[in-house]
Amino acid sequence: MKVALTCNTLPPGYSQESGDDTFAEFDAPSTVLAIRSALLRYCDSVEVVEADEDAYEKLKKGNFDLAFNIAEGIRGEAREAQIPAMLEMLGIPYSGSGVTTLAITLDKRRTKEVLVANGIRTPRFQLLTRGGDLSIDLKFPLFLKPNCEGSSRGITARSLVNSKEELEEVASEMVATYRQPVLVEEYLTGREFTVGLLGNPPEVLPVVEVGFEALPEGAPKFDCYEVKWIYDSLDVGYDTTVCPAHLDDDLRSRIEDVAKRTFEALEVRDLCRLDLRLDGDGEPSVFDVNALPGLIPDPAENSRFPKAAYAAGYSYEELIGRVFNAALRREGISR
């Protein structure tokens, strides 16, 4: 079996810790190599295919049996769907979610609309468009983020606002910088969790709790680019995650239930990581869904999906194998 590993690799010299979030969604060469090495335990050959303008011709000529897809795409609001669309056009089966799901889950507003339509709790929200009205019918404090970004791009210490003046200033800057609408949602102050799901139907991996109490004075006390890529980095060394989270059976059951319902509602496949907080009623409320979760292999880097898999007893190679074999079974491919 010949497998294409479709991905976007960080350019040489780039570091998320620099504060420049331009390529924050891309994968480090070490991650790409670790996935390739893991895949070689399950197939004959793996060719890395960079998800750029030349990808289509490489996929067309590659004679691939399957693609293991972690590609973020290079531009556009539905960029995570670019490589899957090419693969479907060429008749190459692939791991992970399909074109429609990836287009929706990168669009935070559309994701929340699907959640609401399926009775899944999510914070009240509103979309601010470029050049549109900045009036808001939501209760402060509010949380702002670019509508179509991942890896916490555009989510900074200034994303939490407490007044109309702050809202207008931060939203205007965000629209100008990222050239897209801004999602505004009511900020929930309850405990925050991230949940990994693996397989079809999905296994819910041990829940990760995200906490900010140990961060130094002056650091944001919510998940944002600075927390994820600077404070919680190898160089600085703050750990904002606990896995498995300390949960009673009732809360764990409710978190797992909403995670599986979200997976089903958005027609996610093979793997997923979603973020949620407890709302004012103590109920899990989903605020983000990542159908292409990060797969950084080094446990010290606190990549949350692998961290949950390690807590479940999987090695990195077994995690990649579970995703790979889930895709094969779903596609009816036998090795």
Side-chain angles (χ1 to χ4, degrees):
M1 176 172 283
K2 184 179 181 182
V3 173
L5 173 51
T6 48
C7 60
N8 291 98
T9 310
L10 288 174
Y14 176 82
S15 169
Q16 284 100 336
E17 290 86 349
S18 68
D20 174 12
D21 68 4
T22 305
F23 301 105
E25 295 175 306
F26 290 10
D27 287 288
S30 56
T31 297
V32 175
L33 290 174
I35 294 173
R36 182 180 183 276
S37 177
L39 285 172
L40 285 171
R41 294 185 57 180
Y42 305 97
C43 62
D44 300 309
S45 66
V46 178
E47 181 179 325
V48 175
V49 177
E50 192 70 21
D52 56 20
E53 294 89 342
D54 299 322
Y56 182 82
E57 287 301 320
K58 292 177 182 177
L59 292 169
K60 184 177 181 180
K61 298 174 182 177
N63 195 30
F64 296 109
D65 299 295
L66 183 98
F68 191 94
N69 179 50
I70 60 168
E72 299 286 348
I74 53 175
R75 65 181 65 89
E77 61 183 16
R79 58 191 175 276
E80 289 184 351
Q82 290 169 353
I83 291 298
M86 294 180 193
L87 292 167
E88 291 193 6
M89 186 181 296
L90 294 168
I92 302 172
Y94 56 94
S95 68
S97 293
V99 173
T100 303
T101 295
L102 289 172
I104 290 173
T105 53
L106 189 61
D107 186 319
K108 301 180 191 304
R109 185 260 305 261
R110 296 302 185 202
T111 297
K112 289 166 75 71
E113 288 174 344
V114 172
L115 297 179
V116 170
N118 284 273
I120 297 169
R121 292 191 181 220
T122 188
R124 292 182 65 227
F125 66 97
Q126 191 170 328
L127 195 71
L128 299 181
T129 58
R130 283 176 279 187
D133 185 7
L134 292 181
S135 61
I136 288 288
D137 183 27
L138 300 171
K139 294 181 180 179
F140 287 96
L142 300 173
F143 201 77
L144 279 63
K145 60 187 80 170
N147 189 54
C148 295
E149 298 294 343
S151 300
S152 294
R153 288 194 73 220
I155 303 176
T156 72
R158 301 181 65 219
S159 288
L160 183 62
V161 301
N162 293 283
S163 68
K164 183 178 180 181
E165 291 73 24
E166 280 187 278
L167 168 68
E168 292 179 351
E169 180 181 355
V170 175
S172 297
E173 291 179 5
M174 200 173 283
V175 168
T177 300
Y178 294 93
R179 303 182 64 78
Q180 62 186 267
V182 170
L183 185 84
V184 182
E185 60 186 359
E186 293 183 347
Y187 182 67
L188 304 181
T189 58
R191 296 169 69 185
E192 181 169 334
F193 305 98
T194 188
V195 185
L197 299 103
L198 182 61
N200 310 290
E203 169 193 0
V204 182
L205 299 175
V207 177
V208 178
E209 181 160 11
V210 185
F212 313 98
E213 296 77 12
L215 293 175
E217 186 177 352
K221 296 303 189 287
F222 51 84
D223 220 12
C224 61
Y225 190 88
E226 294 95 330
V227 168
K228 186 177 291 184
W229 295 111
I230 298 176
Y231 288 106
D232 195 356
S233 67
L234 290 176
D235 292 335
V236 179
Y238 289 98
D239 189 350
T240 60
T241 57
V242 175
C243 186
H246 302 300
L247 305 169
D248 60 43
D249 291 342
D250 176 64
L251 179 55
R252 180 182 296 105
S253 176
R254 286 184 283 130
I255 289 173
E256 291 180 351
D257 176 67
V258 77
K260 288 186 284 190
R261 288 171 57 209
T262 298
F263 191 97
E264 180 179 352
L266 287 160
E267 298 184 354
V268 179
R269 304 188 314 212
D270 303 343
L271 75 165
C272 176
R273 199 202 77 240
L274 58 89
D275 301 322
L276 54 87
R277 274 182 179 256
L278 301 186
D279 63 19
D281 298 323
E283 292 296 329
S285 184
V286 178
F287 63 86
D288 199 21
V289 178
N290 190 343
L292 285 174
L295 294 170
I296 300 172
D298 186 352
E301 295 201 43
N302 276 331
S303 185
R304 294 167 187 179
F305 186 78
K307 184 166 189 167
Y310 299 151
Y314 297 117
S315 68
Y316 189 75
E317 290 75 16
E318 288 169 337
L319 168 60
I320 299 303
R322 291 275 300 207
V323 177
F324 179 73
N325 285 311
L328 290 183
R329 285 192 296 272
R330 176 173 49 75
E331 294 289 345
I333 300 172
S334 60
R335 289 182 290 129

